[in-house]
Every structure is written in C-alpha cells, then in structure tokens.
Amino acid sequence: MNTNAFALRHIGPREDDQNLMLKTIGVDSLDQLIYETVPDDIRLKKPLKLDEPMSEHDYLVHIQELSKKNKVYKTYIGLGYHPTILPAVIQRNILENPGWYTAYTPYQAEIAQGRLEALLNFQTMITDLTGMEIANASLLDESTAAAEAMSLIFAVRERDQKKNNINKFFVSDNILPQTLSLLQTRANPIGIELVVGNENTFNFSSDFFGAIIQYPGKDGQIVDIKTFISKANESQIKVAVAADILSLIKLEAPGKFGADVVVGTTQRFGIPMGYGGPHAAYFATKEAYKRDLPGRIIGVTKDTNGNRALRMALQTREQHIKRDKATSNICTAQVLLAVMAGMYSVYHGPKGLKFIADKVHNTASTLSEYLSKLGFNQVNTSFFDTLQIKTDAKKIKKIAKEKNINFFYPDDETVTISINETTSIRDINDILSVFAESAEKITLVIPSLSESNNISKSIQRTTDFLTLDVFNTYHSETELMRYIKSLERKDLSLNHSMISLGSCTMKLNAASEMLPLSSPNWGNMHPFVPVDQAEGYLTVLKELEDQLTIITGFSATSLQPNSGAQGEYAGLMVIKAYHDSRGDHHRNICLIPSSAHGTNPASAVMAGMTVIVTKSTHEGNIDVDDLREKAELYKDNLSCLMVTYPSTHGVYESAIKEITQIIHDNGGQVYMDGANMNAQVGLTNPGNIGADVCHLNLHKTFAIPHGGGGPGVGPICVAKQLVPFLPGNPLVKTGGEKAITAISAAPYGSALACLISYGYIKMLGAEGLTQSTKIAILNANYIKHRLQGSFDTLYSGERGRAAHEMIVDCRAFKANGIEVTDIAKRLMDYGFHAPTVSFPVAGTLMIEPTESESKQEIDRFCDAMISIKKEIDQVSKEDENNVLKNAPHTLEMVTASEWKFPYSRETAAFPLDYVKNNKFWPSVRRVDDAYGDRNLICTCAPIEAYMEA
Ligand SMILES: *Cc1c(COP(=O)(O)O)cnc(C)c1O
C-alpha cells in the first residue's frame, strides 16, 4: 500500500475503523452501503476520466513549475487592482494559519468573538474612510458591490412616493468597465434602465432615481463629487460613489458630501491581486438604510453577564427569512480577506496609511512632472495615483513590453499609469525611460520624490480617521502577532475540532492545497494582463474547468461567480439568455421546492423571475404530483426548476429523473443547486440526473476553506445548449460565443482560490474523489446509527439510509423547555461547534461530518450529543436555571468565587472525560441578539457609546 497517497491524508477513518463502522451500521461492505443509499438508476457506470492522482510532493513540484509560466511584470494597469505589500506578520499569522482560514461563518457568536472583532475593525475602518454611518463586512468585489448599491437605491425608491415609478439610473462613463458590465447584468431583469454619460454634462432631472460615479475616475481624473452630489440631491437623485480606498486617505470622505452609498474594493490594503481575487469589497451607507444593507453586519451587544459581546446583527434580513422578498442574495462573502484588510489598517494605523497614500501620490506627481519635462502631455488635472498621457500608445506599448512593463491603453492615443504601494524611484525611472525612448530622447533621472499636491483643494481630506485605540496600538510585529493570536484563541476552528455543518461541508483544507497561495508568482498577477503573460493561470483554470465539467457530467464550466449564490444567479441568467435566444422572452416562472436554501428564491427574483413554491411530502421529498401540476399549469411561461440534490433534507430522491423530465416536457430548464455535491462526486452527477446547469461551492465540496465566511468560488457547469451564454468580461475574452455580461468583476472570479480546488482534484484523482464521497456517506450513516435512541432522524432514503448529512429532530425537547439553540450552546462546553441550526426545518440540527473526520472524532461528537440528551432528560420547563439554558460556560464563570448553579462546576465545564484533554473556553456567555438589534452599533466605538444606548 502506498501510505503516502493523499487520499489517506484527506480521508479520516482508517481502514480498520471503516470496517468497524460498517459493522456497526449493519452492512458487509462500503459498496453495500452505497447500494442501499444511492438509487441505482442514477449511478455512474464508469469511473470519472481524470488524471492519476499526484502525491503531495509531486503536486507541489508541479504547481511550482506552472507558476513559473506566469510572467510577473511590473504592472500599472490599475482599474481596481494594484500590486500591494502584504505585511509578512499578516501573511504568516492569518492567511497561512488554519486557526483563521478554517473557521466557519460566525453564527455561533460565543466561539467566534475573535473574527467578529476583526470584522468590526474592518467596518470601523470603512465608516471612517467613507464618512458613512454604517458598513457591512463584506461583499464579493467592487463591481457586485456597485450593483448592490444600485439595488439598494432602487429598493429605497419603491418606498418613496415621488420616485416609485421612475426607473432610470445614471452611470458615469468614467466607471470601471467591469462595473459597467455588471450593472448591465443586474439592471435589466429588475426593470432598471441604465443611462451612461458624462457626469460633468449630466442634466440632473427628476427622471432619475439614482446615479453612480467613480472616485477617482477610471482614467485617474478626480471628479468633483461635491458639486455632483449636491446637484443630484436637489433633484432627489440618490448617489452611490465607487471609491478607491487608498485615495480616501487623501480625498475627503464622500459621506461628508452627502453620498447615499459608498462602495469599493479593499484589495489595496495588503491583499494579493491573485489574477482577480479573492478580495473583500466594502459597502457603506446611511443608518436609515440599515434594513436594506446587503451582506453581513457585525454589531455590538451584551452577553448574559452584561459584558460586551459581538455578533452578526439584523439576521432577519438574511435570505432565509426574506426569501423571495430579499433584494440581495449575498451569503458567503470574503471574510478572510476583510479580516486581512482590516488588520492591515490595524498594523499601519492612520499615520502609516497616510505615509503610504502620500508616497503613492508623490510618486505619481513626480512622474507626471518628469513626463512633462520630457514633453509629454499628462492630461489629468486633479489625480491621486493615475496619470493619463496622450501619445502614440502603440509605440509605448511595444517599448514597455520589451522592458516587462504593463500600462493600460484605453485607445491608440492614450496610456494610463497607476502607481501603487510597491512603486519605487527605480520603477518610475524605468517608466520614464520607456517614454524617453518613444520620444527618441535621452531619459531624465528622477533623483527623489517631490512633494506636490495634485488634488483640488475643495476635496482634500480634512476629517480624521482611525482615531480609536485599536488602530493606534499594534504597530510593532510582536504586538500585532499577539493581538492576532489573542483573537484567534477566541475562535473555534477546524484545528480544534470537527465542525459538522450540514449543507456546508467543512472538510479538510489540506496544507499542500493552501501552500501555493503564498507564492508571488500566483499572487502578483493582475487580472487584465495580456493573456500570454498568464499561461500558468490559464493552464490551471482551463484544467479545473475541464475537471469540473467531467465531474458534473456537463459540457462546459465558468469559474466566474464568486460564491454559490452568485453561481445561482449566473445559472439563472444563462437560462434566461437561452430562452430569449429562442424567442421565449416570456418564460419567467421559476419553481422552487419549499425546502430550498434561501438564496434560491432571492437569486430567482434578482434574475427577474416569479417564484412559485412547490410542496414537500412529509417524508421530505418533493411532492411530484404537486410539481407536475404546477409545471403543467405554468407550462407556457415556465423558465426553470431550482432543485437541490441530494435534497436539503439529506435524501437522494429516487424520483429525481422523473422530476427533471417533467420540467423538460413543459419547456423548462433544470437548475441544480450543487451545495450537496459532496454526496455525488464519482457516484452520480447532475448531467446524469437530467439537470441543465448547476453551481458548485468550491468552498464546500472542493476544499477551499470557509475563512470565517469566505472566500467562495461558485462556478457554474452547463449542458451543451447553455454553453454559448456563459458569462464574459469586457476586457478579457472569456465565456461563450453569446456571453451574457459580467457576473463578477474579474474574468475568472477568484482565480487564486481556484488553485486549492485544482490541487484537491489533482491529488485525489477519480478514485480518491469517489472514495471521499463514499466515506462521507459512511460517516453520516455511522452518526445516524450512533444517535439512534437519543435523537430521531427526520428523513431517510427508501432503504433507511441517510445521504452525506442528516437532520436530527429536537422539537420534542420543548416539553422540557429546551430549544435547539440550547443544544447548540451546550455543545460548546463539550468543545464542539454546533451543526446547522434550524435549516431547512425549524427546531432541528443538520449534521454533516464529511469524509475528513476520523472515527475517534465522530465518536467524541456522538458522545457529546448523547450526553446532552441525558442532560435534557433531567431538566424541566419549570426551572430554567439548568446546565443547558446557562450554556455556554466561560472560564470566568467556572472560576468565580461564587457559584450559584444547581450543578457542579465540573459538570458545567468538563462534562465528559475527553474534554479535560483539549478544553475550549467560549470567551463570552450567551449573547443577546435582540438587544443588539434594538441598539445597532456596528463600529468599535468606545465602550461608553453602547452602554448609553
Ligand atoms: C451554501 C449554500 C448556498 C449558498 O452558497 P454561498 O456560497 O454561501 O453563496 C446555496 N444553496 C445551498 C443549499 C447551500 O448550502
């Protein structure tokens, strides 16, 4: 046996354990279990046609060789992406640290205070720099954030008497091209008419409900937003500003001029370009719009003892509650990247950031001065970092290329140059020499930077920023390292124990999958470089697309969507384009089973569809009769069905082929939500089941870490008829022949994160992938078996088996006064993160162990659950002072001189023996959500501010 096979490292249970587990659940072999679980008529008959698996070592050699095929030139393209310096202390202690990157979205606040604090720092940084009242943490990229801004303003308009039948939105022609493309994608389905024009000549009329401008413009010229916003306000036009975060250090905050929304990317704050992502976007707005804010807001509240505690605020606005009333489908965002960008500000502080912004500006100004001396016409009169030179662009391009330099060339007469944090004097001398050569002159030598200010006085920043202690304390590496560690210790991640989140597939994120992300040859690639410089990336991305196409049984893949929800939206827009291409413009009905994830109806509405909900049977399956009835009733206008497989109830419905057939017979397409793909890989696939398109969550099934709520990659894989419509990009040719406009800012979405899934598939190969699926099913069925007698499983397949996850019913415990939340909180005392709470069924837990968890870990988890069940049996409704209601127990409680509870300290903190070995202490007592929502504070304002509230 090859004991170095990656599959043996990735898969948890050892062979002996597997045999024991099979015996426990009463089957002879793994194949027998799979036979009893997956319906025979959807099983694949042949193994996936993928390359032989590579060992970890071979893979690392391979990926390094590929990285050398990327030509990392000096790049001054700008357009929302810039070379940066990621402080090594942040790289080592966050980006490369599983304590941070394997954490889950902070729904369980008591064991997530560290990343919640880091995100609160991020929000504070954003509100300070933008001058707005509230900010979220965070969004997917600048262009989707701009589209969300448009949607928010549109949603607000609907409630505004004067504007509610006006649908025109003004877009400055100086907006980034990828943002314009995304606004086009988003506007049309919800009935917004975009009017693109010059902001200086814009005729402010009451025909418009909103406008968006770029600050500074894509060509580098700084627009006078002060005048624009005040004129817009006079016509009741709400204004969104897409602002460069670094420039805001020198430019006055748009909030000061009355902007309604400010958005942008935080990539410039130390995040590698990574050929387009992942990076965190920011979104800031007025307090008045807090209920319309997309994404997650971190807020301050208090715990049971009245101590300050953080948690995600206003959860009611999540799609799970709002469903088809939601105006945004953002779920996974870019949390890890937001944490890093926030930490960049913590490390540099206001003085450090000012130093960086000044240096960038002075470098650009000095270069401008010398270009003029050489006789060049630099036309930007007010600029931060980007120069615009009118000259023979073709000639410059040729010379620059020879010197391994990339500028941006909007047309044959124009060159733009964006200066960044890494640009040195030597670099600008090199730039100058390109221009000298073009002018056939002897180059000048720039000896040092001059300090001139090329920003119009009226918009120079005068307001302070980042004045709070957290931004003025951790400026030495020792201090920052310890600050990061202190936060990390408050958070339970996969490096402590299993996180069995149903539908979220918290599997191993292997170190060898992650290592290449630190390489500058992958990190320092701008998404808009000429393709011949990106051969390494294009090889990996093409192969990953092919691998995913094979795994899903389809014809092609687009890696562009940055999350599962974006994949849903992309898939639906592709279906819409397909119907339109056949003249079926009227097909707009989307059938969605009642058990669907909340993002499904939210995405359908964003795609301009009307959602019709279909029923489930009490076994948890789709009610086929109801589905047929509705498909036939709406057959003239049927666009598609959205279906999750195996179902969100954790069952492989055997009627699935019949279901897809019914939809096709009635003229619809089938969208499969691929969040549960971990139960399919190698055994069956969406193509085989009869679907037409699916998204995958590479951050679930394909080993990209959750990062505390992102990065995500949500590619869509499609059948032949949909291939022509795969999304494109205005600057780099991608997608189909009749590509829909952009879904994400970058042509390949979060390309850097794609390396992880590529490595996962490369190292597992067909056999390892299929074995992973089988063991995921074994682990789930083993848990189901072990919990029998303590917890009822809500649904199972025809032969009594679970799929890769199961729902356990906790509703009966209400008789003892125990809610499912109490179980979730009590699990923390045992060292575990709760499974998925109350999705898809209220009052239940959905458990998904994944293949990576060993039998020993699963046994500890089951022991904890069984022990909790015994505790439940001993408590009653009448007395709330019990070990479940008081959970979780903090170190402070257990060591306090006073102990007033009717159970021992040991029962509270060390309920089972194994806990003593590896205790995890929740850092706060149970948080009070309602209090925090009533007194929303989403910045790290001093403690008095929220005490008064
Ligand atoms: C996770 C999930 C989604 C959303 O994916 P994101 O990447 O968080 O946007 C959609 N559907 C189901 C069933 C999911 O579990």
Side-chain angles (χ1 to χ4, degrees):
M1 187 167 86
N2 173 9
T3 55
N4 256 340
F6 177 66
L8 289 176
R9 310 294 184 192
H10 175 75
I11 294 173
R14 306 291 88 190
E15 209 178 330
D16 292 348
D17 294 329
Q18 293 173 20
N19 292 333
L20 270 173
M21 293 160 86
L22 288 165
K23 212 164 145 198
T24 311
I25 64 174
V27 289
D28 297 335
S29 67
L30 196 50
D31 286 339
Q32 176 69 20
L33 173 66
I34 301 307
Y35 170 77
E36 291 181 12
T37 309
V38 188
D40 211 40
D41 66 329
I42 61 163
R43 284 286 300 277
L44 295 178
K45 303 292 176 255
K46 285 188 205 137
L48 298 168
K49 276 210 182 79
L50 297 168
D51 290 349
E52 286 298 306
M54 281 183 178
S55 72
E56 290 176 81
H57 176 74
D58 288 349
Y59 173 70
L60 290 172
V61 172
H62 161 79
I63 200 76
Q64 185 169 10
E65 273 167 11
L66 278 180
S67 79
K68 290 184 197 142
K69 295 194 173 174
N70 292 326
K71 296 178 190 149
V72 183
Y73 289 3
K74 288 281 176 186
T75 292
Y76 306 98
I77 295 173
L79 298 176
Y81 303 93
H82 301 267
T84 57
I85 301 170
L86 167 59
V89 54
I90 297 175
Q91 173 172 338
R92 172 138 300 186
N93 293 287
I94 298 179
L95 177 64
E96 297 172 349
N97 179 353
W100 284 93
Y101 68 68
T102 70
Y104 182 62
T105 307
Y107 286 109
Q108 298 297 334
E110 297 82 0
I111 51 174
Q113 291 293 303
R115 55 197 185 278
L116 286 164
E117 179 166 328
L119 292 173
L120 199 68
N121 293 345
F122 175 88
Q123 289 177 178
T124 308
M125 163 184 108
I126 297 303
T127 51
D128 275 13
L129 289 174
T130 59
M132 301 304 286
E133 287 160 348
I134 57 170
N136 73 5
S138 47
L139 289 181
L140 298 165
D141 60 32
E142 172 163 331
S143 302
T144 46
E148 295 288 345
M150 175 178 73
S151 299
L152 179 142
I153 294 174
F154 192 59
V156 170
R157 162 214 88 135
E158 307 244 297
R159 281 175 251 139
D160 181 346
Q161 294 296 321
K162 281 186 255 91
K163 292 271 177 183
N164 70 4
N165 49 11
I166 291 175
N167 69 344
K168 278 192 192 159
F169 187 76
F170 173 76
V171 183
S172 158
D173 57 10
N174 214 349
I175 199 110
L176 299 177
Q178 65 272 28
T179 300
L180 176 59
S181 182
L182 223 134
L183 291 170
Q184 286 163 342
T185 311
R186 292 282 193 91
N188 178 28
I190 53 174
I192 296 175
E193 185 190 333
L194 293 187
V195 177
V196 183
N198 184 311
E199 60 246 326
N200 297 317
T201 55
F202 177 55
N203 184 8
F204 294 87
S205 88
S206 50
D207 289 355
F208 288 82
F209 70 89
I212 185 164
I213 47 179
Q214 190 86 41
Y215 184 54
K218 72 176 175 195
D219 60 15
Q221 176 69 26
I222 302 174
V223 183
D224 177 6
I225 62 165
K226 191 174 175 180
T227 311
F228 185 91
I229 295 172
S230 81
K231 281 192 188 160
N233 284 346
E234 282 165 25
S235 307
Q236 279 90 46
I237 299 171
K238 296 204 166 30
V239 180
V241 177
D244 177 287
I245 187 98
L246 191 63
S247 75
L248 291 182
I249 290 159
K250 294 193 68 75
L251 297 177
E252 188 53 280
K256 285 275 171 279
F257 302 136
D260 293 281
V261 186
V262 186
V263 297
T265 173
T266 58
Q267 184 266 325
R268 287 197 103 162
F269 280 13
I271 313 300
M273 290 183 288
Y275 202 47
H279 320 127
Y282 69 83
F283 190 107
T285 186
K286 297 178 170 169
E287 173 98 28
Y289 307 142
K290 67 184 176 198
R291 303 237 164 231
D292 298 283
L293 193 80
R296 293 162 178 152
I297 316 170
I298 309 309
V300 181
T301 186
K302 54 181 190 176
D303 75 357
T304 312
N305 280 357
N307 291 327
R308 180 178 185 269
L310 310 176
R311 92 284 178 244
M312 295 202 287
L314 303 176
Q315 299 257 320
T316 44
R317 60 142 312 283
E318 287 264 302
Q319 308 80 21
H320 285 309
I321 316 285
K322 284 198 181 173
R323 300 185 77 87
D324 59 343
K325 304 284 179 303
T327 47
S328 159
N329 65 351
I330 296 293
C331 186
T332 290
Q334 303 276 21
V335 167
L336 189 70
L337 298 311
V339 166
M340 287 167 61
M343 216 53 92
Y344 178 93
S345 281
V346 169
Y347 195 41
H348 287 297
K351 287 196 192 115
L353 291 180
K354 199 164 172 312
F355 172 81
I356 294 165
D358 282 343
K359 183 181 159 232
V360 166
H361 183 64
N362 291 338
T363 307
S365 299
T366 309
L367 179 60
S368 175
E369 196 185 304
Y370 277 78
L371 283 168
S372 301
K373 283 188 191 168
L374 272 181
F376 283 92
N377 179 19
Q378 197 288 110
V379 296
N380 286 342
T381 48
S382 177
F383 62 85
F384 167 62
D385 64 354
T386 300
L387 308 178
Q388 187 180 184
I389 302 112
K390 294 291 175 190
T391 182
D392 181 345
K394 278 187 175 158
K395 207 166 163 192
I396 296 285
K397 188 172 181 175
K398 189 164 169 287
I399 302 166
K401 209 175 159 193
E402 280 162 13
K403 295 183 189 284
N404 296 355
I405 293 176
N406 292 315
F407 302 129
F408 185 65
Y409 310 97
D411 56 51
D412 286 350
E413 280 94 54
T414 317
V415 181
T416 62
I417 304 175
S418 289
I419 300 301
N420 60 72
E421 187 192 1
T422 71
T423 312
S424 64
I425 291 196
R426 199 172 127 189
D427 293 332
I428 51 173
N429 275 309
D430 289 345
I431 295 174
L432 204 60
S433 74
V434 173
F435 283 80
E437 194 175 325
S438 166
E440 287 163 30
K441 290 186 179 167
I442 295 171
T443 193
L444 304 170
V445 176
I446 304 171
S448 61
L449 297 184
S450 43
E451 293 195 19
S452 49
N453 200 327
N454 285 291
I455 297 171
S456 327
K457 194 132 199 166
S458 67
I459 49 170
Q460 284 177 21
R461 188 169 189 114
T462 55
T463 35
D464 278 353
F465 59 95
L466 306 186
T467 52
L468 294 175
D469 281 353
V470 66
F471 300 106
N472 293 282
T473 307
Y474 308 107
H475 299 331
S476 77
E477 177 163 338
T478 305
E479 283 296 309
L480 188 73
M481 173 179 73
R482 288 185 189 147
Y483 177 58
I484 293 173
K485 184 70 188 175
S486 74
L487 298 185
E488 181 196 338
R489 286 174 43 176
K490 295 178 179 175
D491 289 9
L492 191 145
S493 302
L494 280 177
N495 63 353
H496 180 86
S497 59
M498 137 181 187
I499 303 181
S500 59
L501 266 147
S503 207
C504 288
T505 316
M506 299 287 292
K507 62 171 64 175
L508 170 76
N509 317 113
S512 27
E513 292 154 3
M514 295 295 294
L515 276 180
L517 271 63
S518 302
S519 152
N521 271 26
W522 295 114
N524 296 345
M525 290 291 288
H526 191 288
F528 302 145
V529 295
V531 287
D532 63 348
Q533 292 173 28
E535 206 188 317
Y537 260 114
L538 294 171
T539 307
V540 168
L541 297 170
K542 173 76 176 64
E543 191 169 337
L544 178 60
E545 284 174 7
D546 290 348
Q547 290 163 339
L548 299 175
T549 301
I550 291 168
I551 289 168
T552 54
F554 279 131
S555 297
T557 294
S558 164
L559 294 168
Q560 201 176 101
N562 279 324
S563 72
Q566 297 307 299
E568 292 169 22
Y569 179 70
L572 294 175
M573 291 300 284
V574 162
I575 289 177
K576 187 177 157 73
Y578 165 76
H579 285 315
D580 284 347
S581 76
R582 294 156 48 98
D584 286 345
H585 304 284
H586 51 283
R587 290 198 172 271
N588 72 335
I589 300 286
C590 179
L591 301 180
I592 302 184
S594 57
S595 61
H597 193 266
T599 52
N600 289 187
S603 301
V605 169
M606 285 168 62
M609 297 183 183
T610 303
V611 174
I612 302 287
V613 178
T614 73
K615 289 182 199 153
S616 301
T617 64
H618 49 257
E619 289 89 42
N621 292 331
I622 291 178
D623 182 334
V624 180
D625 293 334
D626 185 60
L627 181 89
R628 183 180 294 109
E629 205 173 288
K630 287 180 173 145
E632 284 169 4
L633 180 64
Y634 294 106
K635 78 173 193 296
D636 293 338
N637 294 317
L638 184 63
S639 172
C640 57
L641 164 76
M642 289 186 93
V643 59
T644 305
Y645 199 78
S647 74
T648 48
H649 291 154
V651 176
Y652 295 90
E653 283 162 273
S654 47
I656 189 67
K657 279 195 161 173
E658 187 186 348
I659 290 168
T660 54
Q661 191 61 46
I662 292 171
I663 299 303
H664 289 150
D665 289 347
N666 290 289
Q669 296 277 294
V670 176
Y671 182 95
M672 204 200 79
D673 180 324
N676 289 344
M677 196 66 199
N678 211 46
Q680 291 192 36
V681 180
L683 297 180
T684 182
N685 64 39
N688 200 35
I689 289 165
D692 300 288
V693 43
C694 77
H695 79 258
L696 301 172
N697 299 66
L698 299 192
H699 47 299
K700 295 179 180 174
T701 314
F702 294 93
I704 294 178
H706 274 248
V713 180
I716 53 170
C717 311
V718 298
K720 202 160 150 231
Q721 75 278 13
L722 300 179
V723 177
F725 309 103
L726 287 176
N729 176 279
L731 294 167
V732 177
K733 193 190 156 358
T734 47
E737 291 303 317
K738 299 177 198 157
I740 60 168
T741 44
I743 292 293
S744 298
Y748 298 95
S750 295
L752 185 65
C754 286
L755 292 175
I756 301 166
S757 299
Y758 172 77
Y760 173 78
I761 297 170
K762 270 283 193 221
M763 290 189 284
L764 278 179
E767 200 182 318
L769 287 168
T770 311
Q771 187 69 3
S772 296
T773 311
K774 291 179 180 172
I775 300 296
I777 294 170
L778 172 63
N779 280 355
N781 279 285
Y782 178 72
I783 293 180
K784 178 168 181 275
H785 193 91
R786 278 221 52 201
L787 296 184
Q788 252 165 34
S790 302
F791 295 86
D792 289 336
T793 307
L794 218 40
Y795 308 106
S796 24
E798 279 163 15
R799 298 191 179 93
R801 298 295 175 194
H804 66 311
E805 62 189 4
M806 86 221 64
I807 297 174
V808 299
D809 200 348
C810 302
R811 291 172 295 193
F813 310 139
K814 284 198 172 130
N816 298 23
I818 297 303
E819 304 289 331
V820 65
T821 314
D822 301 320
I823 301 174
K825 303 303 173 195
R826 181 60 176 151
L827 270 169
M828 295 172 187
D829 291 332
Y830 287 83
F832 284 106
H833 190 290
T836 303
V837 175
S838 288
F839 170 79
V841 182
T844 65
L845 292 172
M846 180 155 61
I847 306 172
E848 179 184 358
T850 84
E851 68 277 11
S852 300
E853 296 303 337
S854 67
K855 176 173 179 294
Q856 293 69 29
E857 180 72 356
I858 291 175
D859 279 332
R860 280 188 286 272
F861 174 76
C862 291
D863 291 345
M865 289 292 285
I866 293 164
S867 172
I868 289 174
K869 173 60 175 41
K870 289 186 189 139
E871 293 170 354
I872 295 172
D873 291 340
Q874 285 161 18
V875 302
S876 78
K877 222 184 202 152
E878 283 64 47
D879 190 2
E880 297 247 298
N881 186 5
N882 63 52
V883 75
L884 285 134
K885 286 283 173 201
N886 293 330
H889 297 83
T890 59
L891 181 59
E892 191 186 339
M893 267 172 103
V894 173
T895 55
S897 334
E898 197 177 33
W899 180 257
K900 291 189 295 196
F901 305 103
Y903 45 88
S904 72
R905 289 178 153 104
E906 189 175 13
T907 304
F910 300 101
L912 287 175
D913 257 357
Y914 76 78
V915 182
K916 290 179 187 153
N917 233 345
N918 192 21
K919 177 66 187 172
F920 186 90
W921 291 104
S923 55
V924 294
R925 291 193 64 186
R926 205 179 288 195
V927 302
D928 186 338
D929 285 318
Y931 177 88
D933 284 349
R934 279 196 311 274
N935 307 286
L936 182 66
I937 292 182
C938 70
T939 60
C940 24
I943 202 150
E944 301 77 40
Y946 81 94
M947 294 308 274
E948 282 158 23

